[in-house]
Structures are given as structure tokens and as C-alpha cells.
Amino acid sequence: LNYSNGLENPKRLIGKISDPSRADIQAAVTSAKLFVDATTTLNAPRDLASLDTTPRSASVFLTPSGKSSVLLLEDSERKSRLDHLEAQYYRAILNSEWGDLHLEGHYGGLIVGGGCRDVSAVISNELVQLHGAILARQVRTLSTQPKAHIRVWNLDDETCAIATHLMPVHNPIIQTMGEWTVVWDEGLRRKLFDERASKLPSETGGVLLGYFDLKLNTIFIVDTLPAPPDSKADGTGFTRGKVGLNEHIEKCAKRTAYVVGYVGDWHSHPPHSSAKPSVMDIALLSSLANGMALDGLPSLMMIVGEGEISIMTGSACKK
């Protein structure tokens, strides 16, 4: 055993970590200096991140195959919270070579109602101990630093070599739009400006990838897809094409265990133009809203202009 004095017999509390009716659980959480979530659920860290009373938190988990482990650690001031880091972690999966097989072994959209992401997987005790030791030490050492971290460890099953991947953490951008909160980050903001600049003087655009949290009424924007090859663009307009788009979106969904998918569209405006929506943009948003309403979701549109980006949400009119 390797415990600090006074921690040899930790108190056990049984219940939901986010249950507001459990004063004993809430007191234990709010009085802690560091909270470590190892539940493997999606809702627990998101719920805790939404509360200002939660202490600095970390989320640690193994992937379904047991070959990879992940650490998300908030900064000491909690400017980058677990839900912000989760979205940036998915972007790293989508854009990294190691991300192709990172979440292999997941069961996709299968739901059985058992909690903890519903479906269990058999993972050898060797892998649990291997990654558990890495995560335990990293939580202890990195929590002494003020900044946030996103780290992934991948095991080469043949040689047992561990590859470590350190992702940059970007400051979150949080915007309230009616009943919805939209969360994205400075890294994605720079990417959109770069995409626009690379196609000037023509406009460009594409698809926004992300996910909806209906409990928190939050839309997390993870990444963008470039314009499909059959798109039409010039200095006065942009029309997004469709060739290969559904296959690309499905690939992104599979890479992220079917968390990340289509959430909306984005396009740029020409040189010296603002991000203010045109009449055609508003009409397009209405069309997108009608399509998303089939799934009971809002539509999202992002416009990249000269030095600014605007975001709009829309819902289909109820008849």
C-alpha cells in the first residue's frame, strides 16, 4: 500500500456522483482538491464540468480493447473543463494516424441499459495494471502543474512498447444561443480562418462535426470537413457538394465510437466581408433546420468572414 497519512481507510459512498439530493456525495466532491473520474461514462464528467462547485477534475479511462488509455486533466483555474477537453480529444482522434484504431472494439450504438456506457468488454488484468499504473502516476505528477492536459497512451501488443501522444489544449469558446449553449475552441477557430484564407478570393465551406448533449442543451463542435469535390465556389458564393460526404461522416463516427457526427454546415465569405449572414444564408439555415428536426435536433451554421466568425442555430417551425 502507498497511501498518505489519513488515507488508509477512505470513506465509501454509493450513489450517483451528480445526484443533487445526496448531500453527503456533494459535500465529498466540493470539499476535494482534485476529483478523478474513472466511471467510463459520458454523462458524469460532463455533468461535473457544468458545475462551478466541482474542484479541478481529471477523467481517466481505458479504451474498449484495453490497448490504449486516456487522461483529460483540467487546468487549476478550470478554464478548460472536462467537457471542453473531451471535444478536443475527439478532434485528435479524427486527425491523427493513431486515431484509426484507437477505439477499436467498441459496440457502436448498441444500448442495453446497464450503465457505464452500457456494454462491458473483457480486458485482461495485465492491461488494466499496465495502464492503471501509467494513469495513476500521471494524475499525481501532472496535477501539481497548473495547466490542462490531454494525453493518450497506445500499446504495441507485439512488443509491449507504449507510444505517448500529447495533444495541445486550446482555450474554449462558449456561446449561449437561445436555449442552446455552443462549445468550440481557439484551435478550431484558427483552422477555419486558415481554410478560408487558402481558398481566397473564392468562398469555401463544408460540414461541421460534433455532438449534441440533450441533457445539458449543449452543442459541442469538434472539427470540420473540407468541401466535397463536387462543390461549386467562386468569389460570390459557395454551394456544398455531396460526393463522398456520407461515407466521410460515417468514418468519423466510427473512429469516435459513434459519438461525433454531423451537426451543421459552415462556409466563408469573400475578402473584406463580414460574417453577417445574407438572405440566402438565413434561407439555408431554415432548410437545414427542417432536416435536423427529423431527429429532434437544432441546426447549426457557422460563417467565417474577415477576422470574425458568426454562429447561428435554428429550429424548424412547429405547426
Side-chain angles (χ1 to χ4, degrees):
L1 295 177
N2 184 23
Y3 294 114
S4 302
N5 292 333
L7 294 181
E8 297 88 353
N9 297 299
K11 183 179 179 180
R12 180 178 61 184
L13 298 173
I14 301 175
K16 290 186 177 181
I17 195 68
S18 57
D19 185 354
S21 67
R22 290 289 301 274
D24 54 343
I25 293 179
Q26 300 311 311
V29 173
T30 57
S31 63
K33 292 183 179 179
L34 178 69
F35 184 90
V36 181
D37 164 62
T39 60
T40 76
T41 64
L42 293 172
N43 59 295
R46 291 181 192 174
D47 288 347
L48 291 167
S50 68
L51 302 174
D52 293 334
T53 54
T54 305
R56 184 185 188 185
S57 299
S59 181
V60 296
F61 56 92
L62 274 65
T63 58
S65 67
K67 296 179 183 179
S68 299
S69 56
V70 180
L71 167 65
L72 310 178
L73 175 64
E74 297 178 345
D75 62 286
S76 57
E77 296 183 1
R78 300 194 71 217
K79 292 182 179 179
S80 293
R81 300 191 179 184
L82 290 182
D83 54 347
H84 311 150
L85 301 176
E86 179 191 354
Q88 295 182 47
Y89 158 65
Y90 290 133
R91 185 160 74 244
I93 292 176
L94 294 176
N95 291 280
S96 301
E97 184 177 348
W98 56 262
D100 188 34
L101 299 177
H102 176 64
L103 292 177
E104 65 176 341
H106 67 79
Y107 290 86
L110 181 62
I111 297 176
V112 298
C116 283
R117 289 194 180 175
D118 299 323
V119 181
S120 296
V122 177
I123 299 176
S124 75
N125 194 47
E126 300 163 346
L127 294 176
V128 173
Q129 292 191 27
L130 173 65
H131 288 291
I134 292 173
L135 292 170
R137 182 170 179 82
Q138 286 283 278
V139 168
R140 182 172 62 82
T141 57
L142 294 180
S143 62
T144 64
Q145 305 173 14
K147 63 181 182 179
H149 294 274
I150 303 173
R151 295 191 174 186
V152 170
W153 294 269
N154 290 333
L155 170 70
D156 183 320
D157 213 14
E158 181 179 350
T159 65
C160 285
I162 296 288
T164 305
H165 305 284
L166 282 60
M167 273 65 73
V169 176
H170 303 286
N171 291 331
I173 302 173
I174 305 169
Q175 296 173 255
T176 300
M177 315 197 72
E179 61 180 2
W180 289 92
T181 298
V182 179
V183 176
W184 51 308
D185 62 82
E186 290 291 347
L188 182 54
R189 185 174 184 269
R190 288 198 295 271
K191 180 176 181 178
L192 286 163
F193 279 132
D194 288 344
E195 285 282 345
R196 174 181 181 268
S198 69
K199 298 296 190 296
L200 289 177
S202 294
E203 296 187 12
T204 188
V207 158
L208 294 172
L209 297 173
Y211 48 96
F212 299 88
D213 189 309
L214 301 182
K215 180 181 178 182
L216 299 176
N217 269 32
T218 301
I219 307 170
F220 294 91
I221 308 176
V222 171
D223 204 358
T224 66
L225 291 181
D230 60 329
S231 300
K232 298 180 180 179
D234 56 30
T236 61
F238 170 79
T239 302
R240 175 176 61 76
K242 298 180 180 179
V243 171
L245 186 58
N246 288 338
E247 293 80 2
H248 202 162
I249 292 174
E250 173 64 19
K251 181 180 178 181
C252 293
K254 185 176 181 180
R255 268 201 175 205
T256 58
Y258 290 92
V259 172
V260 174
Y262 174 86
V263 295
D265 273 48
W266 75 276
H267 67 274
S268 67
H269 279 178
H272 313 299
S273 297
S274 72
K276 182 178 179 180
S278 66
V279 173
M280 292 182 64
D281 292 336
I282 295 174
L284 174 59
L285 179 62
S286 178
S287 176
L288 293 174
N290 290 329
M292 296 295 284
L294 297 175
D295 293 321
L297 299 171
S299 63
L300 188 67
M301 177 185 287
M302 185 176 281
I303 302 173
V304 186
E306 191 76 36
E308 62 178 0
I309 297 177
S310 66
I311 300 179
M312 298 184 293
T313 59
S315 300
C317 296
K318 297 181 180 180
K319 296 182 180 180

